[in-house]
Amino acid sequence: MSTAPLMPKATAVWLVENTALTFDQIAEFCKLHPLEVKGIADGEVAAGIKGQDPVISNQLTREEIARGERDSHHRLRLAEPKVKIAVAKVKKGPRYTPVSRRQDRPNAILWLVKNHPELKDAQIMRLVGTTKTTIAAIRDRTHWNTAQLTPADPVMLGLCTQIDLDFEVARASKDRPPEAESATLLPAEITTGPATDRSQRQDDPFASLGNKPRQTEDEDELDVANVFAKLKGIKQKED
């Protein structure tokens, strides 16, 4: 809230004409120079200005004026308003880019497009202060100066701050959908090892192809012994 009355000079005219306050007290309350208040009293300053009563406008009370008239060192205080007016929020306009830096904006846009492809056009516009047409031309390489463009960090160029860049990158990362997990092959010990039960055979990716499980070393030894036993029996019959 402002500490000065709404109409400083008009209020000073009224206080000079209707109170016994000192020039310093009136000057401090109205945020004027003491010589300017002295000129108002002499008729040299604000000759055509009509006095404004601060009591009627609820900016000053009678008790406060009386206290100041009794004590010349007393500082007048502006009365608290009975109705508080909400301060209008000022909308942020497009980022202003100095004239000396405007030729660097295409290089900064190219750097952002290459290093942070997740950024949207609106975010690049907020960071660099450009237009959608320029961003689209640089993305499609149809910009009139494409051959001469070199990527340059907008923070190093002074077009934006590192805090603003990190904020926009973090926001773009949150909006990006999560990447699907890529399918990986099963380990070799699972695909090539013996299937001991039905559950392992179902997990085997080659089970559906009809491949038989590999025989163990003990089974191989038993098969060899059976073969030799049969051969020995056939030989004895021939003899």
Side-chain angles (χ1 to χ4, degrees):
M1 185 184 69
S2 178
T3 57
L6 295 177
M7 302 174 65
K9 284 190 177 181
T11 303
V13 170
W14 189 91
L15 292 174
V16 169
E17 294 177 352
N18 297 276
T19 65
L21 297 171
T22 63
F23 293 160
D24 292 336
Q25 287 176 312
I26 297 173
E28 186 176 0
F29 177 72
C30 298
K31 306 302 178 185
L32 300 174
H33 196 276
L35 294 178
E36 192 172 3
V37 177
K38 185 177 182 301
I40 292 173
D42 296 338
E44 299 175 357
V45 180
I49 297 178
K50 183 180 179 180
Q52 175 68 29
D53 187 355
V55 178
I56 296 177
S57 58
N58 296 322
Q59 299 182 90
L60 197 62
T61 60
R62 293 286 182 183
E63 292 78 9
E64 188 71 12
I65 294 175
R67 194 179 295 112
E69 289 175 340
R70 289 193 301 269
D71 184 7
S72 60
H73 298 287
H74 177 71
R75 295 182 178 181
L76 300 177
R77 294 182 180 179
L78 195 67
E80 292 290 336
K82 295 181 180 179
V83 179
K84 292 185 178 180
I85 302 174
V87 180
K89 294 183 180 180
V90 180
K91 293 183 179 180
K92 273 191 173 182
R95 181 184 293 274
Y96 173 75
T97 305
V99 178
S100 59
R101 295 290 184 183
R102 290 180 185 177
Q103 70 273 9
D104 297 329
R105 282 189 296 193
N107 296 330
I109 296 170
L110 183 60
W111 187 91
L112 292 173
V113 169
K114 284 189 173 182
N115 293 276
H116 297 286
E118 69 275 9
L119 290 177
K120 300 178 181 177
D121 291 351
Q123 294 177 306
I124 298 177
M125 290 169 62
R126 284 196 296 268
L127 289 172
V128 184
T130 183
T131 61
K132 281 190 175 183
T133 306
T134 306
I135 298 173
I138 293 175
R139 286 184 188 274
D140 302 337
R141 302 188 65 83
T142 57
H143 192 267
W144 65 273
N145 197 24
T146 300
Q148 304 298 328
L149 293 182
T150 54
D153 191 346
V155 178
M156 301 299 295
L157 295 175
L159 297 175
C160 66
T161 62
Q162 187 65 45
I163 296 175
D164 294 338
L165 178 59
D166 294 341
F167 176 76
E168 296 295 346
V169 170
R171 176 184 288 181
S173 300
K174 289 181 181 179
D175 296 340
R176 185 172 53 184
E179 296 180 358
E181 296 183 359
S182 58
T184 57
L185 295 176
L186 294 175
E189 57 269 14
I190 296 178
T191 57
T192 60
T196 57
D197 55 5
R198 185 174 296 178
S199 61
Q200 290 181 353
R201 291 180 183 179
Q202 291 176 355
D203 295 338
D204 189 357
F206 298 101
S208 60
L209 300 179
N211 294 341
K212 295 182 180 180
R214 295 179 57 185
Q215 295 180 348
T216 60
E217 294 180 359
D218 295 337
E219 293 176 351
D220 292 341
E221 292 178 359
L222 291 175
D223 293 343
V224 172
N226 292 333
V227 171
F228 279 105
K230 290 180 180 180
L231 292 175
K232 188 176 181 181
I234 295 170
K235 188 176 181 181
Q236 289 178 355
K237 289 180 179 180
E238 291 177 355
D239 295 339

